[in-house]
Amino acid sequence: MTDPAATPFDPDCTRCPRLAAHLAEVRAAWPDYHAAPVPPFGDPQARLLIVGLAPGMHGANRTGRPFTGDFAGILLYRTLHAHGFASQPESVAADDDLELRDCRITNAVKCLPPENKPTTEEVRTCNAFLAAELAALPADAVLLALGQVAHNAVLRALDLRQSAWGFGHGAEHALPNGMRLVDSYHCSRYNTQTGRLTEAMFEAVVGRCRELLKSLKFEV
């Protein structure tokens, strides 16, 4: 089995018994679904890494690409396109023509959890993969965490104390390794429909990530 310390992704990972069992049930019920660990999407050397929670049942778990084919991806990709990070405003399938520019998308947990709620232990088990992803990024990368679970997963992957870097929508954290962590509420259906996260709020956060990248020495 692949060593998570050496690679950012293992397509055959079954380290979490509950998640592996759940995916087996999903494959039986929906044989045409991806229903396996979902790989990151985008350039491994991108300066912007977006970290979500976990694949959605009928989104990434179905299509095999993060935030593709579900409600959360509508706002995410439309906003990324508006700020030049995506070649088109919609992500409908893993084999469409969408390309990310200087951007990469991943999840704190690579497998679909029941009720979209991974356990603390499952987040910890998958964290070594996120740590490998972060290690491959440029030293001055910008990290956009979608939700507190993703925020905490990034800190754990960098071996930083969560109590020292509190989550808050729009918050920015200059990390000791030179990276910048930016927080946003997750662009889930629940958050957007309840007004906890508006399109303007999300637009501002992604726009801030673009501003931070523009301040770096090299801009695309």
PDB file of all heavy atoms in Angstrom, residues 69-101:
ATOM      1  N   GLY A  69     -20.109  18.481 -10.369  1.00  0.00           N
ATOM      2  CA  GLY A  69     -21.406  17.845 -10.485  1.00  0.00           C
ATOM      3  C   GLY A  69     -22.319  18.031  -9.301  1.00  0.00           C
ATOM      4  O   GLY A  69     -23.374  17.404  -9.226  1.00  0.00           O
ATOM      5  N   ASP A  70     -21.944  18.909  -8.351  1.00  0.00           N
ATOM      6  CA  ASP A  70     -22.811  19.140  -7.199  1.00  0.00           C
ATOM      7  C   ASP A  70     -23.033  20.644  -6.995  1.00  0.00           C
ATOM      8  O   ASP A  70     -22.443  21.476  -7.683  1.00  0.00           O
ATOM      9  CB  ASP A  70     -22.261  18.494  -5.928  1.00  0.00           C
ATOM     10  CG  ASP A  70     -20.896  19.040  -5.516  1.00  0.00           C
ATOM     11  OD1 ASP A  70     -20.422  20.019  -6.119  1.00  0.00           O
ATOM     12  OD2 ASP A  70     -20.301  18.478  -4.581  1.00  0.00           O
ATOM     13  N   PHE A  71     -23.899  20.972  -6.055  1.00  0.00           N
ATOM     14  CA  PHE A  71     -24.291  22.370  -5.836  1.00  0.00           C
ATOM     15  C   PHE A  71     -23.106  23.226  -5.404  1.00  0.00           C
ATOM     16  O   PHE A  71     -22.961  24.364  -5.863  1.00  0.00           O
ATOM     17  CB  PHE A  71     -25.401  22.422  -4.779  1.00  0.00           C
ATOM     18  CG  PHE A  71     -25.979  23.802  -4.596  1.00  0.00           C
ATOM     19  CD1 PHE A  71     -27.042  24.237  -5.380  1.00  0.00           C
ATOM     20  CD2 PHE A  71     -25.466  24.670  -3.646  1.00  0.00           C
ATOM     21  CE1 PHE A  71     -27.568  25.508  -5.233  1.00  0.00           C
ATOM     22  CE2 PHE A  71     -25.994  25.950  -3.483  1.00  0.00           C
ATOM     23  CZ  PHE A  71     -27.051  26.363  -4.280  1.00  0.00           C
ATOM     24  N   ALA A  72     -22.265  22.709  -4.512  1.00  0.00           N
ATOM     25  CA  ALA A  72     -21.142  23.500  -4.005  1.00  0.00           C
ATOM     26  C   ALA A  72     -20.203  23.931  -5.120  1.00  0.00           C
ATOM     27  O   ALA A  72     -19.606  25.006  -5.071  1.00  0.00           O
ATOM     28  CB  ALA A  72     -20.382  22.712  -2.942  1.00  0.00           C
ATOM     29  N   GLY A  73     -20.072  23.081  -6.143  1.00  0.00           N
ATOM     30  CA  GLY A  73     -19.168  23.403  -7.231  1.00  0.00           C
ATOM     31  C   GLY A  73     -19.652  24.529  -8.125  1.00  0.00           C
ATOM     32  O   GLY A  73     -18.843  25.157  -8.824  1.00  0.00           O
ATOM     33  N   ILE A  74     -20.960  24.795  -8.110  1.00  0.00           N
ATOM     34  CA  ILE A  74     -21.494  25.853  -8.968  1.00  0.00           C
ATOM     35  C   ILE A  74     -20.874  27.197  -8.614  1.00  0.00           C
ATOM     36  O   ILE A  74     -20.324  27.904  -9.464  1.00  0.00           O
ATOM     37  CB  ILE A  74     -23.030  25.920  -8.853  1.00  0.00           C
ATOM     38  CG1 ILE A  74     -23.656  24.628  -9.378  1.00  0.00           C
ATOM     39  CG2 ILE A  74     -23.573  27.136  -9.614  1.00  0.00           C
ATOM     40  CD1 ILE A  74     -25.156  24.550  -9.172  1.00  0.00           C
ATOM     41  N   LEU A  75     -20.948  27.558  -7.332  1.00  0.00           N
ATOM     42  CA  LEU A  75     -20.385  28.829  -6.884  1.00  0.00           C
ATOM     43  C   LEU A  75     -18.862  28.809  -6.948  1.00  0.00           C
ATOM     44  O   LEU A  75     -18.236  29.796  -7.355  1.00  0.00           O
ATOM     45  CB  LEU A  75     -20.849  29.139  -5.461  1.00  0.00           C
ATOM     46  CG  LEU A  75     -20.276  30.408  -4.819  1.00  0.00           C
ATOM     47  CD1 LEU A  75     -20.602  31.639  -5.653  1.00  0.00           C
ATOM     48  CD2 LEU A  75     -20.813  30.569  -3.393  1.00  0.00           C
ATOM     49  N   LEU A  76     -18.256  27.687  -6.569  1.00  0.00           N
ATOM     50  CA  LEU A  76     -16.801  27.620  -6.547  1.00  0.00           C
ATOM     51  C   LEU A  76     -16.201  27.857  -7.926  1.00  0.00           C
ATOM     52  O   LEU A  76     -15.360  28.756  -8.110  1.00  0.00           O
ATOM     53  CB  LEU A  76     -16.338  26.264  -6.007  1.00  0.00           C
ATOM     54  CG  LEU A  76     -14.823  26.026  -6.039  1.00  0.00           C
ATOM     55  CD1 LEU A  76     -14.086  27.050  -5.182  1.00  0.00           C
ATOM     56  CD2 LEU A  76     -14.493  24.607  -5.602  1.00  0.00           C
ATOM     57  N   TYR A  77     -16.615  27.089  -8.910  1.00  0.00           N
ATOM     58  CA  TYR A  77     -15.992  27.210 -10.233  1.00  0.00           C
ATOM     59  C   TYR A  77     -16.375  28.501 -10.942  1.00  0.00           C
ATOM     60  O   TYR A  77     -15.560  29.064 -11.679  1.00  0.00           O
ATOM     61  CB  TYR A  77     -16.329  25.985 -11.083  1.00  0.00           C
ATOM     62  CG  TYR A  77     -15.526  24.771 -10.679  1.00  0.00           C
ATOM     63  CD1 TYR A  77     -16.095  23.741  -9.945  1.00  0.00           C
ATOM     64  CD2 TYR A  77     -14.180  24.669 -11.001  1.00  0.00           C
ATOM     65  CE1 TYR A  77     -15.350  22.638  -9.554  1.00  0.00           C
ATOM     66  CE2 TYR A  77     -13.417  23.569 -10.625  1.00  0.00           C
ATOM     67  CZ  TYR A  77     -14.015  22.559  -9.894  1.00  0.00           C
ATOM     68  OH  TYR A  77     -13.263  21.479  -9.509  1.00  0.00           O
ATOM     69  N   ARG A  78     -17.585  28.982 -10.729  1.00  0.00           N
ATOM     70  CA  ARG A  78     -17.976  30.260 -11.321  1.00  0.00           C
ATOM     71  C   ARG A  78     -17.091  31.385 -10.791  1.00  0.00           C
ATOM     72  O   ARG A  78     -16.650  32.259 -11.544  1.00  0.00           O
ATOM     73  CB  ARG A  78     -19.444  30.555 -11.008  1.00  0.00           C
ATOM     74  CG  ARG A  78     -19.977  31.811 -11.698  1.00  0.00           C
ATOM     75  CD  ARG A  78     -21.480  31.894 -11.564  1.00  0.00           C
ATOM     76  NE  ARG A  78     -21.897  32.066 -10.178  1.00  0.00           N
ATOM     77  CZ  ARG A  78     -22.941  31.442  -9.634  1.00  0.00           C
ATOM     78  NH1 ARG A  78     -23.655  30.579 -10.342  1.00  0.00           N
ATOM     79  NH2 ARG A  78     -23.268  31.665  -8.379  1.00  0.00           N
ATOM     80  N   THR A  79     -16.804  31.343  -9.492  1.00  0.00           N
ATOM     81  CA  THR A  79     -15.966  32.380  -8.884  1.00  0.00           C
ATOM     82  C   THR A  79     -14.512  32.232  -9.308  1.00  0.00           C
ATOM     83  O   THR A  79     -13.821  33.234  -9.572  1.00  0.00           O
ATOM     84  CB  THR A  79     -16.092  32.334  -7.360  1.00  0.00           C
ATOM     85  OG1 THR A  79     -17.471  32.361  -6.983  1.00  0.00           O
ATOM     86  CG2 THR A  79     -15.381  33.506  -6.706  1.00  0.00           C
ATOM     87  N   LEU A  80     -14.025  30.996  -9.381  1.00  0.00           N
ATOM     88  CA  LEU A  80     -12.652  30.778  -9.838  1.00  0.00           C
ATOM     89  C   LEU A  80     -12.474  31.281 -11.270  1.00  0.00           C
ATOM     90  O   LEU A  80     -11.458  31.893 -11.605  1.00  0.00           O
ATOM     91  CB  LEU A  80     -12.296  29.285  -9.757  1.00  0.00           C
ATOM     92  CG  LEU A  80     -12.152  28.696  -8.356  1.00  0.00           C
ATOM     93  CD1 LEU A  80     -11.843  27.207  -8.445  1.00  0.00           C
ATOM     94  CD2 LEU A  80     -11.065  29.414  -7.566  1.00  0.00           C
ATOM     95  N   HIS A  81     -13.467  31.038 -12.100  1.00  0.00           N
ATOM     96  CA  HIS A  81     -13.389  31.512 -13.488  1.00  0.00           C
ATOM     97  C   HIS A  81     -13.370  33.036 -13.541  1.00  0.00           C
ATOM     98  O   HIS A  81     -12.611  33.641 -14.322  1.00  0.00           O
ATOM     99  CB  HIS A  81     -14.579  30.965 -14.285  1.00  0.00           C
ATOM    100  CG  HIS A  81     -14.616  31.435 -15.706  1.00  0.00           C
ATOM    101  ND1 HIS A  81     -15.455  32.453 -16.132  1.00  0.00           N
ATOM    102  CD2 HIS A  81     -13.911  31.049 -16.802  1.00  0.00           C
ATOM    103  CE1 HIS A  81     -15.267  32.649 -17.416  1.00  0.00           C
ATOM    104  NE2 HIS A  81     -14.340  31.824 -17.860  1.00  0.00           N
ATOM    105  N   ALA A  82     -14.186  33.676 -12.712  1.00  0.00           N
ATOM    106  CA  ALA A  82     -14.251  35.135 -12.700  1.00  0.00           C
ATOM    107  C   ALA A  82     -12.917  35.763 -12.319  1.00  0.00           C
ATOM    108  O   ALA A  82     -12.608  36.886 -12.745  1.00  0.00           O
ATOM    109  CB  ALA A  82     -15.344  35.595 -11.735  1.00  0.00           C
ATOM    110  N   HIS A  83     -12.112  35.042 -11.540  1.00  0.00           N
ATOM    111  CA  HIS A  83     -10.819  35.578 -11.098  1.00  0.00           C
ATOM    112  C   HIS A  83      -9.641  34.960 -11.848  1.00  0.00           C
ATOM    113  O   HIS A  83      -8.492  35.104 -11.418  1.00  0.00           O
ATOM    114  CB  HIS A  83     -10.666  35.377  -9.595  1.00  0.00           C
ATOM    115  CG  HIS A  83     -11.537  36.292  -8.789  1.00  0.00           C
ATOM    116  ND1 HIS A  83     -11.202  37.600  -8.522  1.00  0.00           N
ATOM    117  CD2 HIS A  83     -12.756  36.104  -8.228  1.00  0.00           C
ATOM    118  CE1 HIS A  83     -12.161  38.168  -7.818  1.00  0.00           C
ATOM    119  NE2 HIS A  83     -13.117  37.286  -7.629  1.00  0.00           N
ATOM    120  N   GLY A  84      -9.927  34.279 -12.945  1.00  0.00           N
ATOM    121  CA  GLY A  84      -8.860  33.782 -13.806  1.00  0.00           C
ATOM    122  C   GLY A  84      -8.227  32.480 -13.384  1.00  0.00           C
ATOM    123  O   GLY A  84      -7.206  32.072 -13.960  1.00  0.00           O
ATOM    124  N   PHE A  85      -8.807  31.793 -12.410  1.00  0.00           N
ATOM    125  CA  PHE A  85      -8.226  30.536 -11.944  1.00  0.00           C
ATOM    126  C   PHE A  85      -8.751  29.318 -12.705  1.00  0.00           C
ATOM    127  O   PHE A  85      -8.190  28.227 -12.579  1.00  0.00           O
ATOM    128  CB  PHE A  85      -8.518  30.333 -10.454  1.00  0.00           C
ATOM    129  CG  PHE A  85      -7.793  31.278  -9.548  1.00  0.00           C
ATOM    130  CD1 PHE A  85      -8.481  32.228  -8.803  1.00  0.00           C
ATOM    131  CD2 PHE A  85      -6.411  31.214  -9.422  1.00  0.00           C
ATOM    132  CE1 PHE A  85      -7.819  33.098  -7.954  1.00  0.00           C
ATOM    133  CE2 PHE A  85      -5.727  32.089  -8.575  1.00  0.00           C
ATOM    134  CZ  PHE A  85      -6.437  33.035  -7.844  1.00  0.00           C
ATOM    135  N   ALA A  86      -9.839  29.468 -13.444  1.00  0.00           N
ATOM    136  CA  ALA A  86     -10.428  28.352 -14.186  1.00  0.00           C
ATOM    137  C   ALA A  86     -10.725  28.776 -15.614  1.00  0.00           C
ATOM    138  O   ALA A  86     -11.092  29.929 -15.871  1.00  0.00           O
ATOM    139  CB  ALA A  86     -11.709  27.870 -13.505  1.00  0.00           C
ATOM    140  N   SER A  87     -10.591  27.857 -16.542  1.00  0.00           N
ATOM    141  CA  SER A  87     -10.776  28.163 -17.961  1.00  0.00           C
ATOM    142  C   SER A  87     -12.240  28.306 -18.350  1.00  0.00           C
ATOM    143  O   SER A  87     -12.541  28.860 -19.416  1.00  0.00           O
ATOM    144  CB  SER A  87     -10.117  27.081 -18.820  1.00  0.00           C
ATOM    145  OG  SER A  87     -10.737  25.813 -18.590  1.00  0.00           O
ATOM    146  N   GLN A  88     -13.140  27.806 -17.522  1.00  0.00           N
ATOM    147  CA  GLN A  88     -14.567  27.930 -17.790  1.00  0.00           C
ATOM    148  C   GLN A  88     -15.330  27.976 -16.472  1.00  0.00           C
ATOM    149  O   GLN A  88     -14.804  27.553 -15.441  1.00  0.00           O
ATOM    150  CB  GLN A  88     -15.065  26.778 -18.675  1.00  0.00           C
ATOM    151  CG  GLN A  88     -14.853  25.387 -18.112  1.00  0.00           C
ATOM    152  CD  GLN A  88     -15.097  24.301 -19.147  1.00  0.00           C
ATOM    153  OE1 GLN A  88     -14.690  24.410 -20.304  1.00  0.00           O
ATOM    154  NE2 GLN A  88     -15.771  23.234 -18.742  1.00  0.00           N
ATOM    155  N   PRO A  89     -16.563  28.484 -16.471  1.00  0.00           N
ATOM    156  CA  PRO A  89     -17.278  28.715 -15.210  1.00  0.00           C
ATOM    157  C   PRO A  89     -18.033  27.517 -14.668  1.00  0.00           C
ATOM    158  O   PRO A  89     -18.594  27.603 -13.585  1.00  0.00           O
ATOM    159  CB  PRO A  89     -18.259  29.838 -15.577  1.00  0.00           C
ATOM    160  CG  PRO A  89     -18.536  29.623 -17.024  1.00  0.00           C
ATOM    161  CD  PRO A  89     -17.240  29.131 -17.614  1.00  0.00           C
ATOM    162  N   GLU A  90     -18.040  26.408 -15.385  1.00  0.00           N
ATOM    163  CA  GLU A  90     -18.771  25.233 -14.930  1.00  0.00           C
ATOM    164  C   GLU A  90     -17.893  23.996 -14.950  1.00  0.00           C
ATOM    165  O   GLU A  90     -17.052  23.834 -15.833  1.00  0.00           O
ATOM    166  CB  GLU A  90     -20.006  24.984 -15.805  1.00  0.00           C
ATOM    167  CG  GLU A  90     -21.084  26.047 -15.691  1.00  0.00           C
ATOM    168  CD  GLU A  90     -22.291  25.707 -16.536  1.00  0.00           C
ATOM    169  OE1 GLU A  90     -22.101  25.367 -17.730  1.00  0.00           O
ATOM    170  OE2 GLU A  90     -23.415  25.775 -16.011  1.00  0.00           O
ATOM    171  N   SER A  91     -18.104  23.113 -13.971  1.00  0.00           N
ATOM    172  CA  SER A  91     -17.413  21.831 -13.895  1.00  0.00           C
ATOM    173  C   SER A  91     -18.478  20.747 -13.839  1.00  0.00           C
ATOM    174  O   SER A  91     -19.144  20.575 -12.817  1.00  0.00           O
ATOM    175  CB  SER A  91     -16.522  21.780 -12.653  1.00  0.00           C
ATOM    176  OG  SER A  91     -15.870  20.538 -12.548  1.00  0.00           O
ATOM    177  N   VAL A  92     -18.649  20.036 -14.941  1.00  0.00           N
ATOM    178  CA  VAL A  92     -19.759  19.085 -15.024  1.00  0.00           C
ATOM    179  C   VAL A  92     -19.315  17.628 -15.038  1.00  0.00           C
ATOM    180  O   VAL A  92     -20.076  16.735 -14.670  1.00  0.00           O
ATOM    181  CB  VAL A  92     -20.631  19.372 -16.261  1.00  0.00           C
ATOM    182  CG1 VAL A  92     -21.276  20.740 -16.138  1.00  0.00           C
ATOM    183  CG2 VAL A  92     -19.806  19.288 -17.539  1.00  0.00           C
ATOM    184  N   ALA A  93     -18.089  17.361 -15.458  1.00  0.00           N
ATOM    185  CA  ALA A  93     -17.596  15.989 -15.535  1.00  0.00           C
ATOM    186  C   ALA A  93     -16.077  15.988 -15.504  1.00  0.00           C
ATOM    187  O   ALA A  93     -15.434  16.967 -15.882  1.00  0.00           O
ATOM    188  CB  ALA A  93     -18.090  15.315 -16.815  1.00  0.00           C
ATOM    189  N   ALA A  94     -15.511  14.884 -15.056  1.00  0.00           N
ATOM    190  CA  ALA A  94     -14.059  14.807 -14.933  1.00  0.00           C
ATOM    191  C   ALA A  94     -13.358  14.844 -16.283  1.00  0.00           C
ATOM    192  O   ALA A  94     -12.159  15.147 -16.348  1.00  0.00           O
ATOM    193  CB  ALA A  94     -13.671  13.527 -14.183  1.00  0.00           C
ATOM    194  N   ASP A  95     -14.083  14.555 -17.355  1.00  0.00           N
ATOM    195  CA  ASP A  95     -13.468  14.552 -18.680  1.00  0.00           C
ATOM    196  C   ASP A  95     -13.905  15.734 -19.542  1.00  0.00           C
ATOM    197  O   ASP A  95     -13.786  15.704 -20.765  1.00  0.00           O
ATOM    198  CB  ASP A  95     -13.770  13.241 -19.410  1.00  0.00           C
ATOM    199  CG  ASP A  95     -15.261  12.999 -19.596  1.00  0.00           C
ATOM    200  OD1 ASP A  95     -16.062  13.794 -19.061  1.00  0.00           O
ATOM    201  OD2 ASP A  95     -15.617  12.009 -20.261  1.00  0.00           O
ATOM    202  N   ASP A  96     -14.424  16.801 -18.904  1.00  0.00           N
ATOM    203  CA  ASP A  96     -14.746  17.991 -19.684  1.00  0.00           C
ATOM    204  C   ASP A  96     -13.453  18.772 -19.960  1.00  0.00           C
ATOM    205  O   ASP A  96     -12.368  18.328 -19.621  1.00  0.00           O
ATOM    206  CB  ASP A  96     -15.817  18.855 -19.006  1.00  0.00           C
ATOM    207  CG  ASP A  96     -15.374  19.401 -17.652  1.00  0.00           C
ATOM    208  OD1 ASP A  96     -14.155  19.448 -17.399  1.00  0.00           O
ATOM    209  OD2 ASP A  96     -16.244  19.771 -16.846  1.00  0.00           O
ATOM    210  N   ASP A  97     -13.581  19.928 -20.568  1.00  0.00           N
ATOM    211  CA  ASP A  97     -12.391  20.678 -20.989  1.00  0.00           C
ATOM    212  C   ASP A  97     -11.883  21.675 -19.944  1.00  0.00           C
ATOM    213  O   ASP A  97     -10.994  22.480 -20.234  1.00  0.00           O
ATOM    214  CB  ASP A  97     -12.691  21.433 -22.288  1.00  0.00           C
ATOM    215  CG  ASP A  97     -12.946  20.487 -23.460  1.00  0.00           C
ATOM    216  OD1 ASP A  97     -12.352  19.396 -23.469  1.00  0.00           O
ATOM    217  OD2 ASP A  97     -13.747  20.851 -24.343  1.00  0.00           O
ATOM    218  N   LEU A  98     -12.447  21.636 -18.763  1.00  0.00           N
ATOM    219  CA  LEU A  98     -12.050  22.585 -17.731  1.00  0.00           C
ATOM    220  C   LEU A  98     -10.594  22.399 -17.323  1.00  0.00           C
ATOM    221  O   LEU A  98     -10.137  21.277 -17.082  1.00  0.00           O
ATOM    222  CB  LEU A  98     -12.949  22.425 -16.500  1.00  0.00           C
ATOM    223  CG  LEU A  98     -12.566  23.228 -15.258  1.00  0.00           C
ATOM    224  CD1 LEU A  98     -12.715  24.724 -15.522  1.00  0.00           C
ATOM    225  CD2 LEU A  98     -13.421  22.811 -14.072  1.00  0.00           C
ATOM    226  N   GLU A  99      -9.880  23.518 -17.224  1.00  0.00           N
ATOM    227  CA  GLU A  99      -8.510  23.514 -16.714  1.00  0.00           C
ATOM    228  C   GLU A  99      -8.396  24.558 -15.617  1.00  0.00           C
ATOM    229  O   GLU A  99      -9.004  25.632 -15.700  1.00  0.00           O
ATOM    230  CB  GLU A  99      -7.517  23.844 -17.832  1.00  0.00           C
ATOM    231  CG  GLU A  99      -7.445  22.803 -18.933  1.00  0.00           C
ATOM    232  CD  GLU A  99      -6.418  23.167 -19.995  1.00  0.00           C
ATOM    233  OE1 GLU A  99      -5.802  24.253 -19.873  1.00  0.00           O
ATOM    234  OE2 GLU A  99      -6.226  22.378 -20.941  1.00  0.00           O
ATOM    235  N   LEU A 100      -7.626  24.251 -14.596  1.00  0.00           N
ATOM    236  CA  LEU A 100      -7.340  25.214 -13.540  1.00  0.00           C
ATOM    237  C   LEU A 100      -6.012  25.889 -13.831  1.00  0.00           C
ATOM    238  O   LEU A 100      -5.071  25.246 -14.308  1.00  0.00           O
ATOM    239  CB  LEU A 100      -7.300  24.532 -12.175  1.00  0.00           C
ATOM    240  CG  LEU A 100      -8.619  23.954 -11.673  1.00  0.00           C
ATOM    241  CD1 LEU A 100      -8.441  23.368 -10.279  1.00  0.00           C
ATOM    242  CD2 LEU A 100      -9.713  25.004 -11.670  1.00  0.00           C
ATOM    243  N   ARG A 101      -5.942  27.181 -13.522  1.00  0.00           N
ATOM    244  CA  ARG A 101      -4.753  27.969 -13.797  1.00  0.00           C
ATOM    245  C   ARG A 101      -4.151  28.475 -12.496  1.00  0.00           C
ATOM    246  O   ARG A 101      -4.775  29.252 -11.780  1.00  0.00           O
ATOM    247  CB  ARG A 101      -5.128  29.149 -14.698  1.00  0.00           C
ATOM    248  CG  ARG A 101      -5.689  28.733 -16.050  1.00  0.00           C
ATOM    249  CD  ARG A 101      -6.396  29.859 -16.758  1.00  0.00           C
ATOM    250  NE  ARG A 101      -6.840  29.474 -18.110  1.00  0.00           N
ATOM    251  CZ  ARG A 101      -7.726  30.143 -18.811  1.00  0.00           C
ATOM    252  NH1 ARG A 101      -8.292  31.238 -18.302  1.00  0.00           N
ATOM    253  NH2 ARG A 101      -8.071  29.725 -20.011  1.00  0.00           N
TER     254      ARG A 101
END
